[in-house]
Amino acid sequence: MKFLVLSFAALASAQIPQSFITLIQPLLNALNATEDNRLNPFTTQILDTFIEPLETQLERNSYVYREGAQLMLDGAPWTASGANVYWLGLDENVIPPAGQPFYAPFNASYPTLGRITEVMNTLQTMGAHTIRSQTLGVSVGNPLSVMPALGVYNEQAFNTIDWAVFQARQHGIRIMAPLIDNYDYYHGGKFDFLRFRGINITSSDSSHVNPLVQEFYTNATIVDDFKDYISHLLLHVNQYTGLTYAEDPTIFAYETGNELGGPTFGDEDVPVEWTTDIASFIKQLAPQKLVVDGTYGINKTHLPIEQIDIFSDHYYPPNNTKLMEDIALVQSVNKTYLVGEYDWTANNPQASSLQSFYGIIESRQNTSEPVVVGDLFWSLFMHDVPNCNIFVNHTDGYELQYGNPLNSVQNNTQISIIRQHFFKMQGVTVDSYLPAVACPGNTAEYTYL
């Protein structure tokens, strides 16, 4: 029985909970049933190969939490660098084969499981920890949405969201999802909630919209509608994990919205009362979740809100001075800061270099109060899986296509800088080489099940 003793000792040294050891005791007994000579003894080294995956799974099932100006996981500092992949729940870039769900007015369709899996493989290769995805949280107002109409729910829309959350878990990647969008995009946003209640305005002019837009924040009926949607989303049980989104540590944070503001672009006009109310509601449904203030920019009146864990801003282009100012603001209230989006391309001559921008973020990790916990570039696209010969294109000029043979030298140089940065945020040094990522083709749905 010495190997059984060794196995328990190894498990204890791995700091695996006693309750879990008790659960797998029959397995350990079977592993050490060597008296009949049909099973070779398990040495400590071999048992380590069993324990390491258990440790990994236990870590993936642990919550990220905040201690002052730092994020933590299992008692160690944790960083949130990665990518925006906005289309994981609902896409607008690919017309699917005939017979597949498609809503032509918005060019909306569900991404294939293979596209989702390939993105996870890619981010893992890039050294990323985190995905931010609008359509894992915002899905209202069209027939393929989670909520096509007020109070009407479409369970089919959860299929791709479930798979994305599950695949992120299997790849060791955490998710941050905005819950509403400031704009009138295909996946829905605050204008849909306004129209549900007869306020028929839109954001066709992004610089200034009808002041009635503030009804989204101030109309009690509309606020309750939004809370009902949040509740339905967070209490949905993922078919692949058996966990609600509220329970699943894979989703480490929900963001009150994407680039929220008022009638004028960039005005940061999001009431304190609304932000406090929505953040409190998220914490009520999901007490272990972190909450990100979704205001576009740091609204100083929001800094004292107790329920907000992370503040964020977007950088088009990267600006070192602005970054340092934002960090200082958040440091003043002992909370954390995340670069939620940024232009990675180096096409704007006014942009600070990625190396200098990253240098500010990396240098903070060596302090007792990092404040800035990571950054998420905009945005990642890969192949039109199962077609591994075509990369999916987007029209905003910021799509990053890892491994595309048509990439310019400048693009690949920037991608290499990003990859080195992501690994450095984990305390790992890698060179400029960009390893290939296999396209899963037709086998994605059998991957990591």
Side-chain angles (χ1 to χ4, degrees):
M1 297 295 289
K2 67 177 181 178
F3 295 106
L4 181 59
V5 172
L6 281 172
S7 67
F8 278 115
L11 286 168
S13 68
Q15 298 184 327
I16 291 175
Q18 182 61 43
S19 59
F20 191 81
I21 296 174
T22 302
L23 182 66
I24 64 170
Q25 184 172 350
L27 172 62
L28 295 174
N29 291 336
L31 290 175
N32 288 277
T34 59
E35 291 82 357
D36 56 8
N37 295 319
R38 288 181 298 186
L39 191 64
N40 193 62
F42 283 80
T43 65
T44 303
Q45 292 90 334
I46 293 174
L47 284 168
D48 282 343
T49 67
F50 287 82
I51 293 167
E52 186 175 353
L54 291 177
E55 289 180 309
T56 298
Q57 289 301 327
L58 286 167
E59 181 180 88
R60 291 175 183 176
N61 210 44
S62 299
Y63 292 102
V64 174
Y65 58 97
R66 180 175 66 86
E67 284 187 356
Q70 191 165 50
L71 297 186
M72 307 288 289
L73 177 63
D74 284 347
W78 183 82
T79 55
S81 291
N84 281 270
V85 192
Y86 75 85
W87 47 265
L88 291 173
L90 188 65
D91 186 41
E92 62 171 340
N93 301 282
V94 173
I95 297 177
Q100 296 297 311
F102 181 60
Y103 184 57
F106 292 167
N107 212 50
S109 65
Y110 299 121
T112 64
L113 302 187
R115 285 184 65 197
I116 295 169
T117 300
E118 184 188 29
V119 158
M120 303 300 172
N121 292 341
T122 302
L123 288 172
Q124 194 174 58
T125 300
M126 292 182 72
H129 268 169
T130 307
I131 285 173
R132 177 175 180 264
S133 182
Q134 278 82 347
T135 58
L136 298 186
V138 189
S139 185
V140 297
N142 82 64
L144 302 188
S145 299
V146 167
M147 192 176 80
L150 183 61
V152 177
Y153 291 97
N154 168 25
E155 296 304 311
Q156 182 185 21
F158 282 111
N159 291 340
T160 48
I161 303 174
D162 284 351
W163 181 257
V165 173
F166 173 60
Q167 286 295 294
R169 170 184 277 262
Q170 296 300 89
H171 286 78
I173 293 169
R174 304 288 173 137
I175 290 169
M176 165 181 159
L179 290 169
I180 198 67
D181 211 303
N182 194 59
Y183 312 112
D184 219 356
Y185 290 152
Y186 77 101
H187 54 266
K190 64 185 184 183
F191 292 93
D192 291 283
F193 282 91
L194 292 166
R195 287 191 287 266
F196 290 153
R197 291 298 179 178
I199 302 174
N200 295 309
I201 60 175
T202 184
S203 65
S204 56
D205 177 4
S206 62
S207 63
H208 188 80
V209 297
N210 191 313
L212 284 174
V213 72
Q214 293 303 88
E215 291 279 314
F216 176 74
Y217 306 117
T218 60
N219 184 307
T221 299
I222 294 174
V223 172
D224 285 344
D225 292 341
F226 183 43
K227 285 182 176 179
D228 286 344
Y229 168 74
I230 294 172
S231 180
H232 192 90
L233 179 73
L234 269 63
L235 298 182
H236 168 78
V237 177
N238 189 321
Q239 62 190 295
Y240 299 105
T241 66
L243 298 172
T244 66
Y245 295 160
E247 294 169 326
D248 195 336
T250 305
I251 306 170
F252 83 99
Y254 278 107
E255 190 173 7
T256 57
N258 174 58
E259 296 189 348
L260 294 179
T264 303
F265 181 76
D267 61 11
E268 300 177 2
D269 191 0
V270 182
V272 169
E273 295 78 12
W274 182 88
T275 300
T276 303
D277 188 21
I278 297 303
S280 299
F281 188 68
I282 295 167
K283 295 278 191 181
Q284 176 186 329
L285 293 172
Q288 303 286 355
K289 289 284 186 279
L290 301 178
V291 177
V292 184
D293 184 359
T295 306
Y296 197 178
I298 300 176
N299 182 326
K300 295 178 184 178
T301 67
H302 292 189
L303 289 171
I305 297 175
E306 180 182 353
Q307 295 83 0
I308 296 296
D309 297 288
I310 304 171
F311 290 91
S312 178
D313 204 355
H314 300 170
Y315 292 79
Y316 295 97
N319 183 313
N320 291 349
T321 301
K322 185 174 185 294
L323 175 61
M324 290 186 289
E325 290 172 350
D326 285 349
I327 293 170
L329 269 177
V330 177
Q331 186 171 21
S332 70
V333 292
N334 196 34
K335 293 193 176 180
T336 56
Y337 181 75
L338 178 64
V339 177
E341 295 181 16
Y342 61 94
D343 169 11
W344 62 274
T345 64
N347 290 332
N348 189 325
Q350 304 302 315
S352 300
S353 70
L354 278 190
Q355 293 96 324
S356 62
F357 193 71
Y358 289 158
I360 294 169
I361 297 169
E362 291 164 2
S363 66
R364 298 288 310 187
Q365 307 313 306
N366 299 320
T367 67
S368 59
E369 294 184 349
V371 183
V372 60
V373 294
D375 51 90
L376 305 162
F377 70 80
W378 184 274
S379 66
L380 182 62
F381 287 84
M382 292 298 290
H383 293 97
D384 185 14
V385 185
N387 187 339
C388 293
N389 297 313
I390 298 174
F391 277 80
V392 176
N393 290 312
H394 189 52
T395 58
D396 66 0
Y398 300 114
E399 70 268 25
L400 187 154
Q401 298 170 327
Y402 185 96
N404 189 339
L406 300 180
N407 281 347
S408 67
V409 172
Q410 175 178 307
N411 277 4
N412 279 338
T413 298
Q414 294 294 100
I415 294 169
S416 178
I417 292 168
I418 293 169
R419 182 173 181 269
Q420 289 175 295
H421 164 63
F422 286 171
F423 275 101
K424 190 168 184 178
M425 292 291 283
Q426 299 184 48
V428 177
T429 300
V430 297
D431 61 23
S432 60
Y433 177 67
L434 294 174
V437 176
C439 176
N442 289 302
T443 64
E445 61 269 36
Y446 307 112
T447 305
Y448 295 104
L449 278 174

